[in-house]
Amino acid sequence: MGRAPCCDKANVKRGPWSPEEDAALRSYIHNHGFGGNWIALPQKAGLKRCGKSCRLRWLNYLRPDIKHGSFTKEEDDMIFTLYNKIGSRWSVIASKLPGRTDNDVKNHWNTKLKKRVMEGKASHSSSYQRSSIPLLSAQSLIPSAQASSSTSCVLTPAIGNQEFQSSYDSLDSSLQQEVYRGGSEYGFLWELDFGSITDLLSSSGFDDTIPSIWADDSGEGKLGELPQSVSYY
DNA sequence: AATGAACCCAACCGCTTCTCC
DNA sequence: TGGAGAAGCGGTTGGGTTCAT
């Protein structure tokens, strides 16, 4: 037996909302709030819509505090930073961007930012300040990798990353000693190359913290060209 | 001007989490 | 404490728009 549908799909309207429906929903919520029950709202508001659809329409489009329009550089940077720290938790990321919804942020990432990253044009790394935040040593985690002292890498700290902390804690002591650390927060190495490092880090116990973005400062992946020592900007 | 490709975003789907009884 | 129902959430899709040829 499958999950019961949230509404009778045969009797609800689907697809784009009309201005009349928007007005009805906006008016009802303005006068009564959503009453703690989205499922019951459509009937009360005289809408032939699923409650989930009403909720989504309100939260993603009709809410008065929604900010429409293109994202600023600052918002982009914030998304990059948070994505690297917590991954695709869009609601959390959106909560840090006033007026933006999770759907907005997700769409923006999928259509613009991810592409920029994949093209190696992400400019966010320059915004990080050099600090006492420690870094993982690529060499220590990937001892078998071919080293090249001429290759520089962009490193970005994963500030306060609890998943990183627990992954680190779960490593055996010899590998822990290999991880360059200091201060009260852990940094995380990323943007070195695409495939092999992910696998190597995964096998080293960092599978939960591996960022999805890899590129060197020139925007090119550097498979097999790991640095003797890491540096950051 | 026509048309196919690429892009964008609103909306839907279904799984997970939360809340209440 | 466990189950049911509602809300929350992230992934995906559909279709309208823009761009390139």
Side-chain angles (χ1 to χ4, degrees), chain A residues 81 124-135 155-157 159 185 232-233:
Chain A
T81 301
H124 55 291
S125 54
S126 62
S127 67
Y128 289 97
Q129 301 296 311
R130 188 180 179 109
S131 71
S132 61
I133 293 168
L135 300 167
L155 300 173
T156 315
I159 301 166
E185 293 170 324
Y232 59 109
Y233 306 89

Side-chain angles (χ1 to χ4, degrees), chain A residues 3-8 12 25 28-29 33-56:
Chain A
R3 181 189 176 85
C6 65
C7 54
D8 180 1
V12 297
L25 180 59
Y28 183 85
I29 292 178
F34 82 98
N37 189 342
W38 285 107
I39 301 297
L41 185 146
Q43 191 177 10
K44 293 176 182 173
L47 290 162
K48 293 186 184 307
R49 289 277 180 174
C50 172
K52 285 179 76 168
S53 180
C54 292
R55 174 185 165 273
L56 210 61

Side-chain angles (χ1 to χ4, degrees), chain A residues 82-89 136 141 158 160-171 188-190 197-214:
Chain A
L82 291 171
Y83 187 91
N84 289 327
K85 286 171 64 179
I86 63 175
S88 59
R89 295 170 65 185
L136 276 173
L141 282 174
N161 188 323
Q162 294 303 309
E163 291 180 349
F164 181 91
Q165 173 82 58
S166 59
S167 292
Y168 174 84
D169 290 341
S170 70
L171 293 176
F188 190 69
L189 167 67
W190 65 294
I197 289 183
T198 298
D199 293 338
L200 285 160
L201 288 179
S202 178
S203 67
S204 299
F206 291 95
D207 49 327
D208 285 337
T209 55
I210 293 169
S212 59
I213 307 158
W214 301 93

Side-chain angles (χ1 to χ4, degrees), chain A residues 17 22 25-26 29 38 51-69 71 90-95 97-108:
Chain A
W17 282 63
D22 282 347
L25 180 59
R26 191 183 281 116
I29 292 178
W38 285 107
K52 285 179 76 168
S53 180
C54 292
R55 174 185 165 273
L56 210 61
R57 185 64 178 171
W58 174 255
L59 293 178
N60 288 341
Y61 196 81
L62 297 177
R63 245 169 49 201
D65 56 335
I66 295 276
K67 189 197 288 183
H68 298 286
F71 282 68
W90 304 119
S91 60
V92 176
I93 295 173
S95 71
L97 300 170
R100 300 298 187 185
T101 70
D102 56 347
N103 212 35
D104 263 347
V105 174
K106 179 173 59 180
N107 282 333
H108 186 56

